Amino acid sequence: MIKLQSIEKTYPARGGGAPVPALSGIDLTVGRGEIFGIIGRSGAGKSTLLRTINLLETPTAGRVLVDGVELTALPAAELRAARRSIGMIFQHFNLLSSRTVYDNVALPLELAGVRKAAIRQAVDPLLELVGLTDKRDRYPAELSGGQKQRVGIARALANGPKVLLSDEATSALDPETTGQILELLADINRRLSLTIVLITHEIAVIKEIGHRIAVLDGGRIVEKGAVFDVFAHPVHATTRGFVDPVVNRGLPDSLRHRLSPVPAPDANPVLRITFTGDRATSPVISMLSRKFNLDLNIWHGQVDEIQGSPFGTLVVEAVGTTTAIEAAISLLRVNNLGVEVIGHALPGSLRAAG
């Protein structure tokens, strides 16, 4: 549905200096009907990348294709027409304060020269879709933040787009309203088979409704894949920085200071075990203790769901012979359970943690 090929974007520097790179070597494909999340910290280039899809930002190099049409090759008039198939919603809503809810949603159709009767036939169902039929004649100042964003979503859908771009659409909302807007976007995705690309600096947003994810750092994609896979096995340090707090992979400071990165006399290895799918509730700890005569002191753990599938992490201190611990790690890996040694418990940690 969307293909970005070898995208580069640089901005001229102030004072005639060297150009400032914003995007470098971006290759990305988004499938039809997919909810694709792009995450990055401030300055990573995610807004620039999103605006490249509809060519509100023209790439310095590379190709942008949407639904088989190369936007980067279109003359201005054809590009304007092609943009009608790409809707966009914004963090701060961008509603016209002097127009009612109905008139804000109708605006794109008015600009396209659609007749009033056809506008009414399009707008009224959209207001019902986003749950604002009773707010039809209200003005933006009379609406809550969540209601304003619903107007923005309805307006973005007015031209019947094939793609919806979401530019930090929930960042200005409270957690409860954020959940409601994400639920609405997921419902629209299912009902309309709409391709949605959303950018955010909050990975919990993508965890909630995303199918696939790309992690942006310094204008480059450093990791991408299915949401479940990236959460379960983050590879890049930037990705781990986003994922660990959300799925509780990280250790609290009270436990982290008890770890040594290298083995020390009388120190025991500390393992992080990752459980996915049916294995998330399997009795692994008791099995390892019996089979290898190990004491496994539980430091930290959590069971969560990602995209409806169970996912869990458990941090344990393994007390036993080196041979037994190595055998236990091997057995975990043979059974497709993630396991890594994250450090070694300093002397006294077992008593303190237990």
Side-chain angles (χ1 to χ4, degrees), residues 288 291-292 294 321-333:
L288 292 178
K291 187 175 182 67
F292 299 106
L294 293 175
T321 67
T322 300
T323 300
I325 293 171
E326 290 176 350
I329 291 173
S330 296
L331 182 63
L332 290 170
R333 289 173 175 160

Side-chain angles (χ1 to χ4, degrees), residues 22-34:
L23 298 174
S24 302
I26 299 293
D27 290 297
L28 192 64
T29 299
V30 179
R32 190 179 303 276
E34 187 171 36

Side-chain angles (χ1 to χ4, degrees), residues 77-352:
E78 292 183 32
L79 176 59
R80 285 194 295 272
R83 282 191 180 127
R84 292 173 188 161
S85 68
I86 306 173
M88 193 165 186
I89 54 177
F90 305 91
Q91 178 180 358
H92 297 296
F93 321 127
N94 291 7
L95 303 181
L96 297 178
S97 60
S98 61
R99 295 176 67 103
T100 65
V101 167
Y102 178 93
D103 291 334
N104 266 283
V105 177
L107 182 60
L109 297 171
E110 292 176 11
L111 296 175
V114 178
R115 294 181 178 180
K116 286 187 177 180
I119 290 176
R120 186 165 56 253
Q121 290 176 352
V123 172
D124 285 340
L126 287 174
L127 293 179
E128 182 178 358
L129 177 66
V130 301
L132 289 179
T133 300
D134 61 333
K135 307 296 182 185
R136 185 182 191 277
D137 299 318
R138 298 289 185 89
Y139 289 87
E142 302 174 85
L143 304 178
S144 67
Q147 290 167 343
K148 290 176 183 177
Q149 195 55 280
R150 288 172 184 268
V151 178
I153 292 170
R155 181 186 57 191
L157 298 176
N159 278 317
K162 299 174 182 178
V163 173
L164 181 63
L165 306 181
S166 171
D167 188 358
E168 298 273 12
T170 60
S171 294
L173 305 176
D174 62 74
E176 182 179 357
T177 307
T178 291
Q180 294 168 355
I181 293 298
L182 293 178
E183 186 177 327
L184 174 61
L185 289 175
D187 183 56
I188 289 170
N189 167 259
R190 288 189 296 267
R191 289 195 193 193
L192 305 182
S193 298
L194 191 67
T195 303
I196 299 177
V197 181
L198 58 89
I199 65 166
T200 182
H201 61 274
E202 300 171 305
I203 202 166
V205 167
I206 300 175
K207 174 178 177 283
E208 188 71 21
I209 65 169
H211 301 144
R212 287 198 301 137
I213 181 175
V215 182
L216 206 61
D217 187 27
R220 295 181 178 274
I221 294 175
V222 296
E223 192 163 351
K224 58 186 174 182
V227 167
F228 188 91
D229 294 340
V230 170
F231 268 81
H233 306 291
V235 175
H236 195 274
T238 299
T239 311
R240 292 196 296 270
F242 281 116
V243 167
D244 284 359
V246 175
V247 297
N248 221 12
R249 279 173 45 94
L251 279 177
D253 290 339
S254 60
L255 294 175
R256 191 181 299 110
H257 81 270
R258 297 173 182 159
L259 282 179
S260 168
V262 296
D266 300 322
N268 301 309
V270 176
L271 314 178
R272 179 190 287 120
I273 305 171
T274 303
F275 305 80
T276 58
D278 294 339
R279 295 183 179 87
T281 55
S282 60
V284 171
I285 297 302
S286 58
M287 181 269 290
L288 292 178
S289 295
R290 290 195 305 269
K291 187 175 182 67
F292 299 106
N293 194 28
L294 293 175
D295 288 327
L296 296 172
N297 181 43
I298 297 175
W299 278 29
H300 190 60
Q302 175 174 302
V303 176
D304 199 353
E305 275 197 357
I306 301 172
Q307 303 295 300
S309 296
F311 169 83
T313 58
L314 194 62
V315 177
V316 299
E317 179 182 359
V319 183
T321 67
T322 300
T323 300
I325 293 171
E326 290 176 350
I329 291 173
S330 296
L331 182 63
L332 290 170
R333 289 173 175 160
V334 166
N335 284 276
N336 296 317
L337 289 165
V339 59
E340 56 183 317
V341 179
I342 63 172
H344 296 76
L346 297 173
S349 293
L350 178 60
R351 291 187 297 275

